[in-house]
């Protein structure tokens, strides 16, 4: 059977998911899996995350929420963290969040209660590379500051594409490696502490473009010094 045909059919996607699950199980068993490092990094970040990251990260979240609010419908936020972005979504959106880290999710759930966010349907502990949602469950997906955190960003992109309806929208917000200059030097320095930080400061923009066949409909810069890019894809 032709490889392209397999990747386009539901059988192909099922085989792909099983293959990824197997790869992940082997990685866990052989101790080469990055997720435990990610989980311990975010268990450390959880108590101080909002305090450290609200100022730099909220502009990108606001930009993504503005796009989503114009669309409405069912939205999944992949790697929702402490739920910093949840109050930004309009009431025309029904919101589901997933994250690998229980300490981060606990804070997101507290926020939903504290701010009585009635449009949040659920916050689930789930791996972005293996979500338990049916295919085409959502109109919109937001993936903010996550693709440079996960060991397998291509698997996240494939899974996000699976759970969004054809014609739906996928919004990626992230910092991508700078080509040169003072920022590039700072990124190289930070990269030495990548595991402790819980993200890869040298993450290339091309990784996302190569991982998907979705149409890139817009790209813009946000946050301090335009550090973060927002990519909007049509599924
Ligand atoms: C930098 S934080 C971003 C949180 C949130 N999106 C925001 O904008 O504040 C990255 C989040 O991705 C989560 N994460 C990392 N790997 C994941 C995975 N494989 N599946 C789901 N979430 C994951 C982490 O637990 C963390 O909460």
């Amino acid at each position: 059977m032709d490889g392209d045909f397999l990747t386009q059919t539901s059988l192909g996607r099922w085989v792909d998911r099983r293959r990824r699950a197997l790869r992940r199980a082997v990685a866990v068993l052989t101790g080469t899996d990055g997720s435990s490092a990610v989980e311990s990094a975010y268990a450390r970040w959880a108590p101080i995350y909002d305090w450290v990251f609200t100022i730099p990260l909220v502009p990108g979240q606001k930009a993504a929420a503005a796009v989503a609010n114009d669309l409405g419908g069912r939205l999944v936020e992949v790697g929702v963290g402490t739920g910093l972005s949840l109050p930004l979504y309009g009431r025309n959106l029904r919101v589901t969040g997933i994250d690998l880290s229980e300490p981060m999710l606990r804070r997101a759930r507290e926020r939903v209660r504290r701010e009585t966010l009635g449009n949040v349907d659920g916050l689930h502990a789930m791996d972005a590379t293996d979500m338990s949602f049916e295919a085409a469950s959502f109109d919109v997906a937001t993936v903010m500051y996550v693709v440079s955190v996960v060991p397998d960003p291509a698997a996240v992109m494939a899974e996000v594409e699976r759970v969004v309806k054809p014609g739906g929208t996928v919004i990626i917000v992230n910092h991508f490696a700078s080509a040169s200059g003072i920022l590039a030097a700072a990124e190289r320095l930070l990269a030495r502490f990548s595991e402790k930080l819980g993200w890869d400061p040298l993450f290339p923009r091309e990784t996302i473009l190569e991982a998907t066949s979705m149409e890139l409909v817009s790209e813009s810069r946000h946050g301090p010094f335009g550090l973060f890019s927002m990519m909007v894809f049509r599924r």
Side-chain angles (χ1 to χ4, degrees), residues 95-110:
V95 178
T96 298
I98 70 118
D99 202 284
L100 202 57
S101 165
E102 271 296 348
M104 296 289 274
L105 277 173
R106 254 197 309 278
R107 280 170 169 78
R109 292 188 186 115
E110 280 162 19

Side-chain angles (χ1 to χ4, degrees), residues 24 35 38 42 49 57 61 77-85 98-101 104 126-129 143-146 149-151 156 199:
R24 192 170 150 72
S35 68
V38 169
Y42 283 94
Y49 185 89
L57 302 192
Q61 295 174 344
E77 181 168 337
V78 175
V80 65
T82 61
L84 260 183
S85 55
I98 70 118
D99 202 284
L100 202 57
S101 165
M104 296 289 274
M126 211 182 274
D127 187 338
T129 63
V143 190
M144 299 190 277
Y145 315 109
V146 172
V149 164
V150 294
V156 174
W199 72 84

